[in-house]
Amino acid sequence: MTLVTLDELREAQKRIAGVAVRTPLMPCPWADAEGRSLHLKPEGLQPTGAFKIRGAYNRLAALTAEERARGVVAQSSGNHAQAVAYAARALGVKAVIVMPDTSPEVKIENTRSFGAEVILVAMHERDTTPADLVAEHGYVWVPPYDDPYIIAGQGTAGLEIADDATALDLDLQTVLVPVSGGGLISGVATALKLTMPGVRVIGVEPDLAGDAAESFRAGERRAWDFADTHRTIADGLRTNSLGVLPWEHVQAYVDDIITVSEDEIRAAVAVLARRGRLVAEPSGAVTTAAYLYHADELPGSRFAAVVSGGNIDPALLARILAV
């Protein structure tokens, strides 16, 4: 299986210019401790509130005229859904989005607000329904992570990290990236290993959805039941296995994958809001949780963490901050 190349990452960077925000590397003096320092990449600043716009726009912008006329279908718990809907509206393409009926209401509403047709299904039907719609209507399927254009688009975040670390004269040693289906960590790891080969890339996921960590330890791609991964508060990380293509990239470029607890995720959401002045959804806060509470598992002293999104239900954020 062919891995995404640096040229493909650069092409994606050109396609998304002016659409995706070039998010900064933010210093976090409040997180400095025992010679360790942290910079955050706040992808919640994207127009759809998460990194997914990078891959979604890159994929749709590469469609042929015939493919655009057919329309697209995607499945997502929320962030890919919003990104595909946003990109489709910008490019004049019809979008149908299949979402679990347990998706946060804010993500469902946002997806509809961008003009997409939303179909709510049971969680176990999320990944099978798009194939039925492709067969029935001829839509082009835009997968959330198992696609080279998606991976290359997400990898533009890694190119930005590398460029900004150089500009800041930052001796960056370790980059923490959330893991779900693996599109983000595949792209970021590829970008970093091809431009800053000495940097370690470590994935982070919830204990309750630890399929990627288990796969990494076992050396083979493993799947968990949706009933298990659905337990975590991090709704964007409930995918039950790494994608086939992401797994190849993880094996090639990722140095480790660790897990964090639900309490640590909640605490990180609160810390990011109170100290970092950032709204982060639980899925985006896992990397900060790893930095704050798993120092013994993380090599290096100069860290960057991707905060992948900020689409948290306001009521949930209020409950977390009330503790």
Side-chain angles (χ1 to χ4, degrees), residues 75-93:
Q75 80 271 26
S76 168
S77 297
N79 285 335
H80 182 60
Q82 294 170 82
V84 171
Y86 183 90
R89 185 179 69 175
L91 294 166
V93 177

Side-chain angles (χ1 to χ4, degrees), residues 3-304:
L3 301 180
V4 168
T5 67
L6 185 58
D7 284 344
E8 289 171 319
L9 290 165
R10 296 295 188 197
E11 284 300 315
Q13 196 169 41
K14 293 175 184 176
R15 285 194 192 97
I16 71 170
V19 177
V21 173
R22 194 188 192 290
T23 55
L25 267 186
M26 294 176 50
C28 302
W30 50 267
D32 293 350
E34 299 177 354
R36 301 163 74 238
S37 68
L38 176 68
H39 282 70
L40 297 177
K41 189 163 182 63
E43 285 293 288
L45 300 179
Q46 294 295 346
T48 58
F51 74 97
K52 290 283 191 175
I53 187 60
R54 297 174 180 272
Y57 194 87
N58 188 49
R59 183 69 196 91
L60 267 64
L63 293 175
T64 65
E66 183 273 334
E67 289 172 328
R68 292 190 188 193
R70 287 159 53 191
V72 299
V73 64
Q75 80 271 26
S76 168
S77 297
N79 285 335
H80 182 60
Q82 294 170 82
V84 171
Y86 183 90
R89 185 179 69 175
L91 294 166
V93 177
K94 177 181 179 179
V96 177
I97 312 295
V98 178
M99 301 181 71
D101 54 14
T102 54
S103 298
E105 190 62 32
V106 64
K107 294 184 177 182
I108 296 172
E109 292 176 358
N110 287 347
T111 302
R112 287 180 172 144
S113 76
F114 295 132
E117 176 186 348
V118 174
I119 299 175
L120 299 177
V121 300
M123 183 65 184
H124 67 275
E125 298 175 331
R126 183 191 69 172
D127 293 335
T128 57
T129 301
D132 297 334
L133 295 173
V134 168
E136 182 178 355
H137 300 286
Y139 300 136
V140 176
W141 179 43
V142 181
Y145 44 82
D146 220 338
D147 180 279
Y149 287 94
I150 297 293
I151 290 173
Q154 319 305 27
T156 60
L159 293 178
E160 293 171 9
I161 291 172
D163 288 345
D164 286 353
T166 300
L168 293 169
D169 196 23
L170 176 64
D171 180 24
L172 186 61
Q173 296 165 3
T174 303
V175 177
L176 305 173
V177 187
V179 182
S180 183
L184 177 61
I185 194 168
S186 294
V188 170
T190 300
L192 290 171
K193 293 296 185 177
L194 296 181
T195 58
M196 301 179 71
V199 172
R200 301 178 189 89
V201 179
I202 297 179
V204 187
E205 63 182 350
D207 290 337
L208 297 183
D211 57 279
E214 181 179 307
S215 298
F216 192 85
R217 302 283 180 271
E220 63 179 15
R221 192 169 68 99
R222 293 186 175 177
W224 284 24
D225 290 337
F226 278 118
D228 291 331
T229 61
H230 202 69
R231 296 172 297 167
T232 179
I233 191 176
D235 60 278
L237 306 183
R238 290 172 178 166
T239 301
N240 70 330
S241 71
L242 288 165
V244 175
L245 186 55
W247 172 238
E248 298 295 325
H249 287 76
V250 165
Q251 288 183 297
Y253 296 127
V254 174
D255 295 285
D256 199 3
I257 300 177
I258 68 171
T259 63
V260 293
S261 73
E262 298 297 292
D263 286 345
E264 289 165 349
I265 295 170
R266 288 174 178 270
V269 169
V271 168
L272 285 168
R274 293 185 177 121
R275 303 297 306 278
R277 306 300 189 266
L278 288 176
V279 173
E281 61 189 277
S283 302
V286 295
T287 50
T288 303
Y291 174 86
L292 293 175
Y293 307 116
H294 291 261
D296 58 332
E297 298 178 61
L298 300 175
S301 58
R302 300 289 178 265
F303 291 82

